[in-house]
Amino acid sequence: MSEICKTCGNVIAAPSVASDYDPAAPHITPRIAAELIAHEGIVTEAYRDSVGVWTWSVGLTDACGHGVRRYRDNPQDLDHCMAIYAWALRERYLPAVLDAFGDHEPAEHELGGALSFHWNTGAIRRAEWMRRFRDGDIAGARDAIMNWCRPAVLTKRRRCEQALFFDGTWTNDGHATVYDVAKPSYRPTAGRRVEILSRLEQLSL
């Protein structure tokens, strides 16, 4: 029987999930990519986020270097949504996260937690918790990651990232919520659960 995360309510992935991850050559694995999507969800056409910014796929905006307004009234299939997400994660976010680790060779769960944090905040290079971690203050780092909980709705996500980074607790089951877009508001609406891990395994992460 699957275990349920007490923090976020997600199904915790079985520990037997296969991975070819090597800390000496850190890279994005399907399990890392799926963990982040589990927090974000997927929207297959462009929508306006809570502050009106045009957004698409797994929380992508024009700032990632891929114009997303082309997807207004133009829904894409999941494979395209995740291919662009994987590109942005690899090219736009992974380098900063690896740089923030310094000489430390991150385990898969550490890289996954740090990537999720950076995708959400863009602040891995200036985050006190990462500096404390590099300095060997693990307890201080564990506490300091929870300083990034504004707005308060992010508290559950930070606790999941904390549990993943420091304890190796994964909180995805290979599925994600795919949302439709309501119009004329262009806001995400009712979602449905879709299996994504097999699709991620086909991508060049």
Side-chain angles (χ1 to χ4, degrees), residues 51-108:
V51 294
V53 175
W54 284 104
T55 309
W56 171 75
S57 183
V58 188
L60 294 169
T61 69
D62 288 347
C64 76
H66 182 83
V68 303
R69 274 175 280 193
R70 73 185 75 181
Y71 304 119
R72 178 177 176 176
D73 300 316
N74 182 24
Q76 301 294 301
D77 61 39
L78 283 178
D79 289 337
H80 182 64
C81 291
M82 288 194 288
I84 301 301
Y85 155 69
W87 165 82
L89 188 59
R90 182 180 63 250
E91 300 297 328
R92 305 296 187 185
Y93 289 84
L94 180 61
V97 170
L98 293 179
D99 183 63
F101 275 110
D103 294 332
H104 177 75
E105 296 181 352
E108 183 185 13

Side-chain angles (χ1 to χ4, degrees), residues 104-191:
H104 177 75
E105 296 181 352
E108 183 185 13
H109 64 89
E110 292 173 337
L111 183 60
L115 272 169
S116 179
F117 174 86
H118 188 49
W119 184 271
N120 179 242
T121 67
I124 195 70
R125 285 192 171 104
R126 58 187 175 87
E128 179 190 5
W129 74 268
M130 179 55 81
R131 178 183 60 77
R132 287 179 177 270
F133 176 78
R134 286 197 308 269
D135 291 345
D137 180 9
I138 306 305
R142 180 190 289 269
D143 290 340
I145 195 174
M146 296 308 299
N147 293 336
W148 293 82
C149 294
R150 295 181 183 177
V153 69
L154 291 175
T155 301
K156 286 185 177 181
R157 179 169 183 161
R158 288 293 96 82
R159 291 202 181 281
C160 286
E161 290 165 351
Q162 181 191 58
L164 177 58
F165 189 94
F166 295 99
D167 303 319
T169 302
W170 298 87
T171 57
N172 83 84
D173 64 347
H175 290 70
T177 303
V178 178
Y179 296 94
D180 295 321
V181 174
K183 298 168 187 176
S185 66
Y186 287 92
R187 302 290 187 183
T189 183

Side-chain angles (χ1 to χ4, degrees), residues 11-26:
V11 178
I12 298 176
S16 60
V17 173
S19 175
D20 62 352
Y21 186 85
D22 179 1

